[in-house]
Amino acid sequence: MGIRLIVEVLTSAPEALTHREKLLLVVLAEDANDDTRITWNSVERPEVLRGAKLSRSQLYAVLKSLTVKGVLSKLTAGQKNGTAKYQIAKFPGSQCQGIADTDGPSQSPGTPDTEGPQSPGFPDTDTNGQCQGKADTEGPQCQGIRDVSVRESGTPTPLNPSTTTPLASKRESRPGSVDFGIPEAARPLVDGITAAGVYVRWPFKGNSWFPILAMIAKSGVPAMVDHALKAAARTDVESANYFLKGWGELPPLPAPGTERPPLRAVSGGYQPYRNPTDQSVYDEDF
């Protein structure tokens, strides 16, 4: 792996390549051996997809296009214990045939690193390198400048917080968020019956709430509360199961736009009741 093959792709790749094809070829060149031009690792790695800005399906479409244009060839197919190998073609004019490559052999698993500063017996001679006595001068890492990707608590915010993260735990512990297993759509029904002084058990769990939610969508909470209060006034009710049969027989909500029927007018208008003034009316009852 080295930069030589990357530079060759950038400067000598055919002009017929699209931007997407050239970007993927650069990513593959970063993973390939400079001498053999063969990739080391799987082309399905997340680093390849992210670097080439491609999805999995788009990746194979671009690989096929590069193969058709002759700039990439597939040497071996992916197997259970091995990854597919691709080889980048040699581009015309990228290097004169009469001039040998003056670079040494590229780094590979069989070629150890012989550079002095990286050997165990040689200290690093880079005078500008990071050391314990020198603070990091990059802006986002300086103590005086807070990293905006980290909250004031010092804990980075995950993209998809799970139930074990402090953010999710804090959200779940907020007042009013505890539902005691009652679905949000059924809460007005439970609260309406309880607020009217009818205290019954709600022995529903999980999927057993589905029939009640369907009745709420069909008949509405006010009609179901009214039926429950009338039934509880006639007999002693201990469980909300007692209301299910009656709730199921309630009519559906009126269609949107339905108008109330006009009431029949009483002749003479409404007159409040008054006790008779004739005393003989009361004497006839005795």
Side-chain angles (χ1 to χ4, degrees), residues 46-68:
E47 294 85 350
V48 175
L49 299 177
R50 182 171 59 250
K53 304 184 185 302
L54 297 172
S55 64
R56 184 185 176 92
S57 59
Q58 292 172 339
L59 170 68
Y60 285 102
V62 179
L63 286 174
K64 182 178 180 180
S65 177
L66 289 173
T67 304
V68 172

Side-chain angles (χ1 to χ4, degrees), residues 218-230:
K218 169 195 168 189
S219 303
V221 171
M224 296 174 68
V225 171
D226 181 71
H227 171 80
L229 298 183
K230 291 178 180 178

